[in-house]
Amino acid sequence: KRAAEITDLRKQNQDKFQAKENFYKQKWESIRAAQAQNAQARDKARALRDQTRQGLMEQKNRGARNTKDQSREFLYAKKEREAQERQTNQERSQYLKARREDAKRRAEEERLAQLDKFREDYEARTAQEELLRARTDALVAKMEKEEMELIQRLQNTQTVQRSAYEQLEAALGQTSQQMPPAAQRG
């Protein structure tokens, strides 16, 4: 029984080895076939490129001749267009210059008018400030006069009070001299 198992295992291993061998052989053949096919495709592609290159060269030569002819026509049309554009630009430049000068003139007129307005406003403000200053000076003078009068009245009042105080003191001094000593202790 053990020998049969070993034989079966050996056969299975050989089958696996044979399967791997077949697999790698097929893979190798497939790679070789692909390489051969790729080489054939490269040759076809090279032939097609050569043919295309030849066709392109002929087409390029024809195109160069056509381009040369078109280039002459374009150059003539370009010169015509440039002459027309120069004329248009010159006219537009003159128009814009006239507009700029007109705008400059209007701006200068507006600036002068603004300066006149500022001057008038300044003169009016100056006159108003002068009037206000004159009124303020008059009010200050009036207040100074009232202050002097009040100071004079205060001084007069102080003089009257001092005089009354002195009289009172003198009167009190005479009274105390006339009173007997017991009443003074009082």
Side-chain angles (χ1 to χ4, degrees):
K1 182 176 178 183
R2 180 80 177 135
E5 286 177 6
I6 290 173
T7 306
D8 282 346
L9 281 173
R10 190 174 291 152
K11 185 170 182 346
Q12 285 177 4
N13 284 340
Q14 285 176 350
D15 288 346
K16 281 183 189 176
F17 180 75
Q18 189 62 43
K20 278 185 182 179
E21 185 92 9
N22 288 340
F23 172 75
Y24 285 122
K25 187 177 181 183
Q26 286 175 356
K27 190 153 185 113
W28 175 252
E29 287 174 3
S30 168
I31 289 171
R32 300 240 338 148
Q35 286 176 342
Q37 192 174 4
N38 285 345
Q40 189 178 10
R42 273 196 305 272
D43 291 342
K44 279 185 181 178
R46 187 177 300 118
L48 184 60
R49 275 196 311 270
D50 290 344
Q51 186 180 2
T52 303
R53 190 178 299 123
Q54 183 63 34
L56 286 174
M57 287 296 285
E58 291 173 5
Q59 188 177 359
K60 186 177 176 184
N61 289 336
R62 278 195 309 273
R65 284 192 298 274
N66 289 342
T67 302
K68 206 171 184 182
D69 294 342
Q70 283 182 344
S71 180
R72 272 197 297 271
E73 291 174 13
F74 288 155
L75 185 61
Y76 177 74
K78 181 182 174 190
K79 286 182 180 178
E80 287 286 321
R81 189 178 62 248
E82 286 175 349
Q84 182 63 38
E85 285 175 358
R86 273 195 301 274
Q87 178 67 28
T88 303
N89 286 341
Q90 189 176 10
E91 290 171 2
R92 185 170 56 227
S93 176
Q94 289 172 350
Y95 170 74
L96 291 174
K97 184 178 178 185
R99 295 247 340 237
R100 272 195 306 272
E101 288 175 359
D102 188 44
K104 191 175 177 183
R105 182 186 49 75
R106 280 199 311 272
E108 183 63 19
E109 289 173 359
E110 289 174 8
R111 188 182 69 80
L112 291 174
Q114 188 91 18
L115 284 175
D116 284 346
K117 184 180 181 302
F118 288 156
R119 185 181 43 73
E120 290 171 5
D121 288 349
Y122 175 75
E123 289 173 358
R125 206 167 42 249
T126 304
Q128 191 175 9
E129 288 173 1
E130 188 62 33
L131 179 63
L132 184 61
R133 190 183 61 73
R135 286 181 181 170
T136 304
D137 288 348
L139 183 62
V140 167
K142 180 182 172 190
M143 290 172 72
E144 285 176 349
K145 181 179 174 190
E146 288 176 359
E147 183 183 18
M148 290 301 293
E149 290 173 358
L150 287 172
I151 289 172
Q152 186 62 44
R153 282 176 50 194
L154 179 62
Q155 287 175 346
N156 291 343
T157 303
Q158 286 176 342
T159 305
V160 168
Q161 286 177 347
R162 195 176 304 118
S163 173
Y165 181 73
E166 289 172 357
Q167 288 176 0
L168 180 62
E169 221 174 47
L172 284 175
Q174 288 176 357
T175 306
S176 65
Q177 289 175 357
Q178 293 174 359
M179 288 185 90
Q184 285 178 356
R185 283 190 210 122

